[in-house]
Structures are given as C-alpha cells and as structure tokens.
Amino acid sequence: AAATAAADGVAVAVDVAAPPVERSALELLAEELQTTGSSSFPGFPSHLEEDPDEAPGAPWEPGRHHLLLTSSAPAGSGGAPEALGWAWFQEEAEWWTLQHVWVREDKRRSGLARLMMDYIESAAAFARAGRPASPTELRLTAVDGVQGVYERCGFSRLGGPVYAKELPEPPPGGAFGAAHGASRRFVDRSLEAWGVKAQGVRYHVIAAPPP
C-alpha cells in the first residue's frame, strides 16, 4: 500500500507496506562498513532502539539521517548484499547539511555517489512534503578536490569550501518511495535518566543497480 504526504497540492508517494529496515541487517552492514576502510562510519550502537512513537507514513522528525548503500544480491542466489557506501545528512533549522559521503574504493567512479546524492535530495523532498516548514536548501563542504563532482550535481559555491543547492519541489511519486517507507528512526535513550532528551537517527538502505 502506498500513502502520500502532500504540500501545496504536490504529492510524494511512500510505500508504507515496504518491509521495514531490520535491526539485524543494519548491524551487519555497519560492521562491514567499519572493516572496509570507512573508519568514520559511526556504526549502529547497541543501545539504539526503534522509535516506538513513529507511525507508518507519519511525517519524519527533524534530525540526523544515515544512508547505507548495498549491492544488489542476484535473484535466487540467497547471498547477503555487500555494503558499498554510506552517507550522513542532517536537517538543521534553516537548511539540510550533507556531512559525509563515502563509496568503497573499488566501486568509485561508477555513479554510486551520484545515486546517493539523488536519494538524499529525494529524502529532503519527502520530508518537506510531509512537513512544509522543512528546509529547501542542501549545503556541504567540498574538500580534497571533489568540488567538480558537486558542481555536476547542481551545487554552487557559497564561499570558501561551502557549496549549496536549492532543492526542487517534490515530484509526484518518485523512484525511492519504497526506501522512504522502509526507513526507520532509532532513538538513544541512554541519557534520559540524567534529563537529556532522547536523540534520534533515521536509517535508510538502498541497493545499487545490478552490474
């Protein structure tokens, strides 16, 4: 079943019947990412728990998002997908911030970073469709000679290494509806006993196209 979140008469489809991201799969992918050269990946802490207050199809809460990119397991192979990359993006008060994008070294220059960028833009559009006050701009800091990559993705330089892109209005439907529906928000309640509000992070998983 599909639900829509709408803003200003524009709808974005989300497949609320999509199988939810499973905790066990996230733990395995996180462990694999941390052993394949992406030491900056924060992992999947054991004290995180699925947000019990989140209803299927409900507007997303502002905050941090982690995107995990996997391989496409061949049909009928029974094999587990491999972790190929990850990204961290976050909804701030006035804009979205892309904090990190990483693709496994042997899979670079194959369009996978662009695939993750497309997903991040679609996720921001979906959040805005359900909550119109969500920001419309995505910002990032481009270093290590990758400025051209972001310019080809439509980003413009604001100043220094900071680049920004005004995000388009969410289109009807979209290629990532199932992934939006399967994403899940997890919360860290470990500091609530000291009066610290639970912090949340939403995990998304998408598969790369078959080779």
Side-chain angles (χ1 to χ4, degrees):
T4 58
D8 300 327
V10 179
V12 173
V14 55
D15 185 357
V16 297
V21 173
E22 296 183 0
R23 183 188 189 96
S24 58
L26 289 172
E27 291 172 335
L28 288 173
L29 289 169
E31 182 178 352
E32 186 177 348
L33 281 168
Q34 289 182 309
T35 60
T36 54
S38 183
S39 58
S40 57
F41 182 65
F44 188 83
S46 60
H47 57 262
L48 288 181
E49 60 182 71
E50 191 165 346
D51 187 348
D53 299 323
E54 182 174 65
W60 292 346
E61 292 286 333
R64 177 184 294 194
H65 297 252
H66 287 167
L67 170 61
L68 308 185
L69 175 68
T70 74
S71 62
S72 296
S77 69
E82 300 177 279
L84 303 182
W86 76 282
W88 163 18
F89 57 107
Q90 186 157 331
E91 182 180 347
E92 313 283 1
E94 298 182 10
W95 55 75
W96 290 80
T97 300
L98 177 59
Q99 301 281 8
H100 195 91
V101 176
W102 180 86
V103 175
R104 206 172 74 185
E105 189 170 357
D106 63 322
K107 298 296 182 180
R108 293 174 186 173
R109 299 185 182 278
S110 59
L112 296 183
R114 181 59 183 262
L115 175 66
M116 286 195 286
M117 294 296 296
D118 288 345
Y119 181 84
I120 290 166
E121 290 186 25
S122 80
F126 176 74
R128 189 163 77 255
R131 191 166 27 83
S134 184
T136 64
E137 184 181 60
L138 176 62
R139 293 188 181 188
L140 57 86
T141 300
V143 295
D144 299 331
V146 298
Q147 293 86 344
V149 174
Y150 296 117
E151 289 172 352
R152 289 192 292 274
C153 289
F155 285 81
S156 300
R157 184 177 176 184
L158 280 182
V162 180
Y163 283 69
K165 181 178 182 179
E166 189 70 19
L167 298 173
E169 286 297 316
F176 297 109
H180 295 326
S183 70
R184 287 295 178 269
R185 185 172 185 265
F186 290 80
V187 292
D188 176 4
R189 301 188 184 280
S190 60
L191 298 178
E192 283 188 327
W194 287 270
V196 178
K197 182 180 178 181
Q199 300 296 309
V201 54
R202 177 172 294 277
Y203 283 84
H204 310 250
V205 178
I206 61 172

